[in-house]
Amino acid sequence: MREITIQNLHFSIDGREILQGITTRLPGDRFLALLGPNGCGKSTLLKHLYRVHPIQEGSIEMDSTPLAEIPLRTAAQKIAVMGQFHTVDFDFSVLEIALMGRTPYKENFEEDTEEDTSLALEALEMTGMAEARNRSFNSLSGGEQQRVMLARCLVQQPELLILDEPTNHLDIKYQLELLALVRALKIGVIAALHDINLAAMYADRLLVLRDGRLEREGTPREVITEEMLLTTYGVHAHVGMDSTGLPLVDYRTESAL
Amino acid sequence: MQIRTLLFSSPLLSILLALSILLSISLGSISIPAGDVLSVLFSQIADTPSSVDPAMTDIIWSLRVPRAVLAAATGAGLALAGVVMQASVQNPLAEPFLLGIASGASVGATLAILLGTGSLPFGVSGFAFLGAVLATAAVLLLAGSGRRISTVKLVLAGAAISALCIALTNFIVYIAADAEGMQSAAFWTMGSLADAKWRSLALPIAIVTALIVYFLSQTRTLDVLLLGEELAVTLGIDAARKRRIFMVLLALLTGILVATCGIIGFVGLVVPHAVRAFTGASHRRLLPAAIFSGAIFLTLSDLLARTLLPAGDLPIGIITALIGAPLFLKLLFGGKGFGGNGK
């Protein structure tokens, strides 16, 4: 996938406008990070891309084909999503969950092959969950469950990976590992992130949303400024530079103390 | 783990089912040696003369065999309905009886008989299907479909619809006390297989078989539905559409079964729950094991219903409720879950 084009996208629930006219082009082969305060519409925008929200107004095209004309199954072969999932008490094993990533490639009655299994084990190996392959998914911690879900995404062999606040339940160690792993895949990534410093470290481009509008777009250096932190997030912070020249947010300003 | 897998594999379960059916045919008010049963079965199927007394042959072939076959098919269908409904609404308590769908079907069936449309082909079954569809729609609307349905709302909505439909059924049975072909109130509310005849078997068996084949082709979808609607969509499954199709098919299945043998409760709850403890949640293993186990469970329950009291038949729903209600309480107040070990 080369490009996703979003034109004048609006979305409202119960009369409240969540997205108020988003227009942008998202390259399909970069690491894009979506930033913005809670309730700014990050998740809503991503849910439009992965087809959970129907388009009310505006349009989304993938490589010039309107999203609604792409069958869900075809889309699932190209885009994998690691979302905020709820936990049901289902007694699936870790390997079974990972194998569900093969769903968009399977016909009715078609069984999982040995290739599928080795693909799943490889993915679990990459996310550090291979040893837990026979454990019950339920018995894992939140962070472990998320790593299994990432493996399931990898088994889908996507061209684009959408991460909807993927680092929610993760310790900083796994946050770093997850983002580094995803970056090393060399596929397109669109990730909604909370941590601005992490976004600066891993993303090629940043998009900043506020109140359902796209406020800024650009490289980390262009986007992460003291002025942006004040207008978008309402915090006074100092933006310095890390050892590699990337912006680094320091929240320890005088007004915060 | 290995023994568990073997215990709930299809070859072993099909042998157990055959044995249960054989047992159910030979035991009863008159006990018949298994050898005679096999001899009659063989001679009827191969159309050769048999050495067994013709009166005995008649009991076996015209009474007990159709009854055992209907019990097995109904049990398989009810277990299938439970498994599919639980995955569709992501709730381990979903079951046609508890949700009032079976009661909805009984209103349709009794209404058809009262109006005299029961004599039309598919009249009773067709009305039972309509009743089941309406009850399903009502329960899902009341419980709030779309999102994941909360257990409390689901059970309360089911109880309300169920109470309403059972009252309507009883009312219809009461005012139509001597309408031709009207079964007793006990038949509609507690189920019975006593009227099983060869000619009434074709439709339920055809529907149950067709739906078993269909849902065996949908095991991946059922798995993915358990993970939630959003995740299902990202895996290429149109969850809302599938769920609608599944619910309509289940209403059809429930309608046919209720029209044939009344309301038999709890099978769709007990069987999937027990089987999951051995197979886990994966439908590729759960579904066939639950179908076989449902057939075995209801065949043996019917045997109990026929033989427990010397006076004669108990409604089979009493047996299944006595086994099912405690489990329902455990699921409701204990740890709920899709696993054998819950949380």
Side-chain angles (χ1 to χ4, degrees):
Chain A
M1 186 181 327
R2 292 183 311 276
E3 192 180 62
I4 298 173
T5 322
I6 303 174
Q7 293 267 349
N8 198 27
L9 188 67
H10 284 263
F11 185 75
S12 44
I13 298 178
D14 301 332
R16 204 170 79 82
E17 272 206 279
I18 316 264
L19 297 180
Q20 313 193 30
I22 306 247
T23 300
T24 186
R25 290 154 172 274
L26 307 173
D29 54 356
R30 295 299 183 78
F31 195 130
L32 309 177
L34 217 48
L35 296 176
N38 288 335
C40 69
K42 295 190 294 277
S43 269
T44 309
L45 178 58
L46 290 182
K47 282 187 172 147
H48 276 87
L49 298 183
Y50 62 84
R51 312 279 287 274
V52 167
H53 286 325
I55 296 174
Q56 291 176 345
E57 196 189 325
S59 72
I60 303 178
E61 293 182 353
M62 280 181 191
D63 293 342
S64 316
T65 312
L67 204 55
E69 287 172 19
I70 304 172
L72 280 180
R73 195 176 146 89
T74 313
Q77 292 172 0
K78 292 185 176 170
I79 303 176
V81 182
M82 188 170 147
Q84 304 153 328
F85 60 95
H86 64 252
T87 44
V88 184
D89 290 316
F90 42 72
D91 196 17
F92 288 113
S93 75
V94 165
L95 183 60
E96 282 169 346
I97 296 270
L99 275 169
M100 284 187 197
R102 299 311 291 163
T103 306
Y105 298 94
K106 294 289 179 182
E107 302 296 333
N108 294 342
F109 288 118
E110 197 177 338
E111 299 255 333
D112 293 320
T113 62
E114 288 194 9
E115 274 166 58
D116 294 326
T117 308
S118 57
L119 205 62
L121 286 174
E122 219 173 281
L124 287 169
E125 195 76 55
M126 286 174 81
T127 61
M129 292 303 295
E131 277 179 24
R133 77 189 76 141
N134 291 324
R135 279 181 63 189
S136 156
F137 183 77
N138 268 343
S139 69
L140 305 180
S141 71
E144 288 172 322
Q145 290 186 341
Q146 248 168 338
R147 284 151 65 200
V148 175
M149 282 301 182
L150 178 65
R152 192 264 308 156
C153 288
L154 301 183
V155 171
Q156 241 173 301
Q157 296 184 309
E159 295 168 26
L160 175 70
L161 183 59
I162 295 179
L163 305 172
D164 199 347
E165 314 214 339
T167 51
N168 265 356
H169 297 286
L170 296 181
D171 295 337
I172 184 67
K173 173 176 184 256
Y174 290 116
Q175 290 190 31
L176 293 166
E177 276 184 17
L178 180 137
L179 292 171
L181 173 71
V182 164
R183 174 140 193 124
L185 293 173
K186 304 278 181 215
I187 59 173
V189 177
I190 304 177
L193 294 175
H194 271 304
D195 190 315
I196 299 166
N197 286 329
L198 285 180
M201 277 172 70
Y202 292 102
D204 300 311
R205 288 184 74 77
L206 307 182
L207 291 89
V208 181
L209 285 180
R210 189 166 73 105
D211 294 336
R213 290 198 179 82
L214 189 58
E215 250 189 6
R216 283 155 216 264
E217 207 177 337
T219 64
R221 219 171 301 197
E222 289 163 2
V223 168
I224 301 173
T225 60
E226 291 172 7
E227 184 254 328
M228 183 280 280
L229 288 163
L230 185 60
T231 53
T232 306
Y233 287 93
V235 292
H236 293 273
H238 175 70
V239 175
M241 207 180 267
D242 73 4
S243 53
T244 62
L246 288 168
L248 182 69
V249 182
D250 177 4
Y251 299 101
R252 278 173 59 93
T253 55
E254 278 161 31
S255 58
L257 294 173
Chain B
M1 195 66 200
Q2 286 305 315
I3 292 171
R4 286 179 157 203
T5 319
L6 184 70
L7 206 60
F8 275 79
S9 65
S10 299
L12 191 74
L13 286 173
S14 52
I15 293 170
L16 287 178
L17 175 59
L19 288 177
S20 313
I21 290 177
L22 192 61
L23 192 69
S24 168
I25 295 171
S26 44
L27 294 182
S29 48
I30 305 166
S31 285
I32 304 162
D36 285 5
V37 173
L38 286 174
S39 153
V40 168
L41 287 183
F42 182 77
S43 72
Q44 288 291 335
I45 291 165
D47 206 15
T48 54
S50 142
S51 56
V52 180
D53 169 22
M56 207 62 104
T57 302
D58 206 41
I59 291 180
I60 295 171
W61 189 250
S62 306
L63 294 176
R64 295 219 181 141
V65 176
R67 183 163 180 164
V69 170
L70 182 63
T74 305
L78 291 172
L80 174 73
V83 170
V84 174
M85 204 170 282
Q86 284 148 25
S88 298
V89 304
Q90 294 160 46
N91 195 310
L93 283 171
E95 195 245 2
F97 168 71
L98 286 172
L99 296 197
I101 295 163
S103 325
S106 75
V107 174
T110 48
L111 196 63
I113 297 167
L114 178 71
L115 295 176
T117 45
S119 53
L120 300 172
F122 304 126
V124 179
S125 300
F127 269 65
F129 168 55
L130 278 182
V133 167
L134 290 177
T136 309
V139 169
L140 291 183
L141 278 176
L142 284 173
S145 64
R147 295 270 149 207
R148 193 177 163 221
I149 298 169
S150 90
T151 299
V152 176
K153 279 190 171 179
L154 193 70
V155 170
L156 289 180
I161 293 297
S162 186
L164 178 70
C165 290
I166 285 180
L168 280 175
T169 303
N170 285 337
F171 177 68
I172 294 171
V173 171
Y174 182 78
I175 58 172
D178 15 83
E180 199 182 331
M182 179 62 83
Q183 301 274 1
S184 67
F187 173 85
W188 292 110
T189 51
M190 287 180 283
S192 169
L193 298 164
D195 288 313
K197 291 184 191 68
W198 281 114
R199 62 185 159 76
S200 59
L201 282 181
L203 188 61
I205 287 182
I207 298 282
V208 168
T209 311
L211 289 183
I212 285 175
V213 173
Y214 173 72
F215 282 113
L216 283 176
S217 80
Q218 300 293 314
T219 51
R220 271 176 203 280
T221 302
L222 290 167
D223 280 353
V224 171
L225 280 179
L226 267 190
L227 299 192
E229 207 160 301
E230 292 195 1
L231 220 158
V233 170
T234 71
L235 286 169
I237 307 260
D238 188 343
R241 187 173 145 263
K242 282 285 185 187
R243 188 199 261 186
R244 267 199 305 278
I245 295 174
F246 288 0
M247 290 317 251
V248 169
L249 291 177
L250 290 182
L252 177 66
L253 176 62
T254 308
I256 300 287
L257 293 180
V258 168
T260 315
C261 44
I263 300 173
I264 301 175
F266 293 105
V267 180
L269 183 76
V270 174
V271 173
H273 182 77
V275 173
R276 254 187 221 106
F278 294 91
T279 62
S282 167
H283 287 86
R284 193 172 54 79
R285 276 174 284 123
L286 168 64
L287 197 57
I291 289 166
F292 275 117
S293 306
I296 294 169
F297 176 71
L298 209 65
T299 307
L300 295 180
S301 295
D302 183 51
L303 177 62
L304 267 184
R306 282 191 291 121
T307 53
L308 208 58
L309 294 184
D313 271 0
L314 272 172
I316 187 168
I318 293 179
I319 308 284
T320 58
L322 281 176
I323 300 169
L327 177 67
F328 175 59
L329 289 174
K330 175 181 168 271
L331 280 173
L332 199 55
F333 296 111
K336 68 184 167 76
F338 276 103
N341 40 5
K343 247 196 192 173

